[in-house]
Amino acid sequence: MGKAMKFKVVLALFAVAGLAACGPGPKNDASKPAAARPAPPISTAPEHETRGVIASVNGQVLTLDHDGATAAPLAAGRTTFQAYADVLAEAPLDPGARVTFKFRKAAEGEGWELTEMRGR
């Protein structure tokens, strides 16, 4: 083998070793399958019930025009709620649909989360 050929082989080995050392890097939660991600914390806040109309649906975030719940305290008006698949599976999701729903204070942050929703 000539000097030029040995140099190319050595250079190729260094390149492969360098790429192998880099690896894919650290993985964040977004790269994990949904089943592997930790579930959001479960709220232990009391549930409240009221009725309203669906204003909009954006994935798992619903905006509802509602009658409010004084025990919550949540004044009548328009509020955004986080909803999860189990709640959305049986619920009407068309804007304008009249619904009765249960909700509670979210475990994290200042928002609200739906625990049940059905057509009325």
Side-chain angles (χ1 to χ4, degrees), residues 13-42:
L13 289 174
F14 278 120
V16 169
L19 288 174
C22 291
K27 292 187 177 185
N28 58 21
D29 283 348
S31 66
K32 293 180 183 177
R37 287 186 215 138
I42 297 173

Side-chain angles (χ1 to χ4, degrees), residues 45-110:
E47 270 187 334
H48 307 282
E49 186 170 357
T50 191
R51 60 188 183 170
V53 176
I54 297 175
S56 68
V57 177
N58 186 9
Q60 291 184 310
V61 177
L62 279 74
T63 303
L64 302 172
D65 294 324
H66 56 84
D67 293 344
T70 55
L74 182 65
R78 180 172 280 192
T79 304
T80 301
F81 295 87
Q82 174 68 47
Y84 298 101
D86 58 336
V87 173
L88 298 175
E90 301 289 325
L93 297 176
D94 298 321
R98 296 169 47 159
V99 294
T100 298
F101 60 97
K102 292 182 181 179
F103 65 97
R104 66 180 166 215
K105 191 79 170 150
E108 292 181 345
E110 296 297 317

